[in-house]
Amino acid sequence: MSRRVQGLRLWMWQRVSALYLALFLLYIVISILMLEQFDYPQWHAWISGPVNSIIIYIGFLMLFAHAWVGIRDVIMDYIHSIVLRSLTLMLAGLGFMVCLLWLSRVLIKAILT
Amino acid sequence: MRQRKIRPVYLNLFNIRFPLAAIASILHRIAGVLLIISLPFLIYLFDLSLHDADAFDKALAITRHPLICLYLYLLLWAISHHFVAGIRYFLVDLELISGKQASAVSATTVVVSGLLIPVIVFLGTVL
């Protein structure tokens, strides 16, 4: 696949994930405001509900897709040295993977307990 | 080439009109990077809040520390601005915003509402 098409695909991913994240953000804010009380049982039950946990997990995946395309654009715009650019891109990618694994663990643990 | 010689040599910063759309755009980037850099801390808080009731209280206590609280308000600005500016980009993509006037007006709306949301939340928690 040519570079141009790859760029277009990334551009589309950015829009799709942005749309999901925008709706997701509104959903989180409204849901949390609607909790009767912001305490551990309510919070835990809200996060680990069958529908919510799926919405939240997809939200995390979208967040990292969005963050990856975004930081990739920023890094490629401002870091011109090829070595430094590859290094920061690699660091960002690695950081995101660690964060996503961490979040997955937190969410799975919350569902199971 | 001759034209170049008669340009003013002084630099009057007040004469440089930085388009508001450019300000909204660079703030969109800064906000995005700020949110990404803050991810580990936010995931840490999220993790802590779901351990058990004691850890949940501990996480809440962390967010009430004055400096952390200030930082969280900064992040609230970042996500508010990123959100509103993102909606503006959607409208631009759909060609609902086009032309200098609409660009400037919408960019001002974005910058102002991005700042207003944290202020409203602050007032909401204080009052």
Side-chain angles (χ1 to χ4, degrees):
Chain A
M1 197 172 263
S2 74
R3 267 191 71 84
R4 185 181 291 250
V5 177
Q6 197 191 7
L8 185 69
R9 206 172 51 182
L10 286 178
W11 180 89
M12 220 187 64
W13 261 109
Q14 193 72 331
R15 265 61 185 178
V16 171
S17 57
L19 197 62
Y20 187 95
L21 289 171
L23 297 173
F24 181 54
L25 186 63
L26 289 177
Y27 176 67
I28 295 173
V29 171
I30 292 169
S31 301
I32 289 179
L33 286 178
M34 274 174 31
L35 287 181
E36 285 159 36
Q37 219 183 344
F38 191 64
D39 54 12
Y40 177 73
Q42 294 245 358
W43 169 241
H44 183 269
W46 184 77
I47 292 283
S48 53
V51 179
N52 273 349
S53 52
I54 293 171
I55 292 175
I56 292 167
Y57 197 65
I58 295 174
F60 289 158
L61 294 176
M62 291 289 181
L63 177 72
F64 284 102
H66 193 79
W68 171 245
V69 182
I71 202 76
R72 181 180 169 277
D73 282 346
V74 171
I75 287 172
M76 286 170 72
D77 279 352
Y78 301 119
I79 301 179
H80 300 297
S81 143
I82 298 291
V83 178
L84 222 59
R85 182 189 282 184
S86 316
L87 217 67
T88 39
L89 277 173
M90 235 155 48
L91 212 68
L94 206 71
F96 285 160
M97 273 194 272
V98 171
C99 283
L100 188 59
L101 284 175
W102 185 8
L103 267 179
S104 309
R105 208 184 88 105
V106 172
L107 199 59
I108 291 168
K109 223 174 66 186
I111 294 167
L112 294 179
T113 51
Chain B
M1 269 300 167
R2 266 207 85 67
Q3 282 264 317
R4 289 196 145 201
K5 282 197 171 164
I6 53 169
R7 69 185 175 185
V9 285
Y10 64 90
L11 189 65
N12 185 351
L13 287 175
F14 294 101
N15 276 349
I16 299 173
R17 300 274 296 165
F18 215 66
L20 265 157
I23 295 173
S25 172
I26 192 67
L27 288 177
H28 185 77
R29 286 201 151 186
I30 292 170
V33 171
L34 191 65
L35 289 167
I36 286 176
I37 291 172
S38 310
L39 273 176
F41 174 62
L42 294 176
I43 300 173
Y44 166 75
L45 277 184
F46 185 65
D47 189 358
L48 195 61
S49 75
L50 285 167
H51 262 286
D52 52 43
D54 285 340
F56 178 86
D57 291 337
K58 203 181 143 200
L60 271 187
I62 291 173
T63 65
R64 292 201 184 102
H65 183 280
L67 279 177
I68 305 274
C69 194
L70 197 70
Y71 178 63
L72 288 175
Y73 270 106
L74 180 70
L75 289 188
L76 183 60
W77 163 79
I79 201 160
S80 307
H81 181 89
H82 206 81
F83 177 80
V84 207
I87 290 173
R88 179 173 175 272
Y89 284 141
F90 264 110
L91 297 178
V92 170
D93 279 349
L94 296 171
E95 294 183 358
L96 290 170
I97 293 174
S98 60
K100 262 190 180 171
Q101 179 86 25
S103 167
V105 171
S106 59
T108 314
T109 312
V110 164
V111 174
V112 171
S113 51
L115 288 168
L116 222 56
I117 292 170
V119 172
I120 290 169
V121 170
F122 177 72
L123 292 176
T125 50
V126 167
L127 300 176

